[in-house]
Amino acid sequence: MQRVVSRLDALVLFVTIVAIPVALWGAFLHAPTEQTMGAVQRIFYFHVPSAIMAYVAVVVLLGSSIVYLSRRDLAWDDLSKAATEVCLLFCTLVLITGPIWAKPAWGTWWTWEARLTSTLVLEILLIAALMVRRYAGNRDLGARLAAIIGITIAADVYVVHKAVDWWRGMHPEVFKAGNRGSLDERMTSVLFICMGAMFLLCITLIRLRYRTARIETRTEALRLERLD
């Protein structure tokens, strides 16, 4: 079973390594240049998938946080930690690529629009979840506090997702019934290729970080045993 899992991990890693250059080729060479915004629109192929992968990581974070609170199994806390760090990575990418697009589109790097503000809150909550692990008095306390923040993060992601519907604002909705057919066919195909590559990267990073976290947990347990 261990060998099968290792081979599967190796296959996923290989496909990820292949998929990323294909996504870059699609975003920069295959997709046509948008007529209104020009080349800066290509940031769209990284901004949108990064936001969706942050959602994916939050799903893992929410599930592992709930299970940890019910079972107190450190393996689930390690998974929660891995998902938190990967989500922070993609959320940071969203906050970097968003203003790059917003400057030519809106004429400003930042506006306190509902979706942008709630995404910034998400970034702060992710950092807080990592900080309580480091500065809590003990591992269990830090894990419990991080799990509670993890559930709060999931609630904030729902706010991010619904922000445009609830408070309108300038942020465009990419996946909406009324928007079907608004993208060029090649743009749509490249977007989905980029999402596929980002998904593979997200899963690979969570998996690798989880393995590292498990090693860290076991090492710390052995250290405490020796001290006793």
Side-chain angles (χ1 to χ4, degrees), residues 32-41 101 104-105 187:
T33 301
E34 206 272 334
Q35 293 181 356
T36 303
M37 294 190 62
V40 74
Q41 181 271 342
W101 175 86
M187 289 181 175

Side-chain angles (χ1 to χ4, degrees), residues 15-70:
V15 175
T16 303
I17 293 172
V18 172
I20 291 175
V22 172
L24 292 172
W25 168 81
F28 289 109
L29 298 176
H30 181 65
T33 301
E34 206 272 334
Q35 293 181 356
T36 303
M37 294 190 62
V40 74
Q41 181 271 342
R42 297 182 188 277
I43 203 74
F44 164 82
Y45 302 112
F46 306 99
H47 179 73
V48 173
S50 293
I52 294 174
M53 291 316 112
Y55 287 7
V56 171
V58 166
V59 171
V60 178
L61 171 58
L62 175 62
S64 55
S65 296
I66 292 173
V67 176
Y68 176 77
L69 288 174
S70 63

Side-chain angles (χ1 to χ4, degrees), residues 8 14 26 35 39 53 58 62 82 102 108 131 157 166-167 181 185 196 226:
L8 180 60
F14 173 77
Q35 293 181 356
M53 291 316 112
V58 166
L62 175 62
T108 181
M131 288 183 66
V157 164
W166 291 346
W167 297 292
E185 184 176 333
R226 288 185 179 181

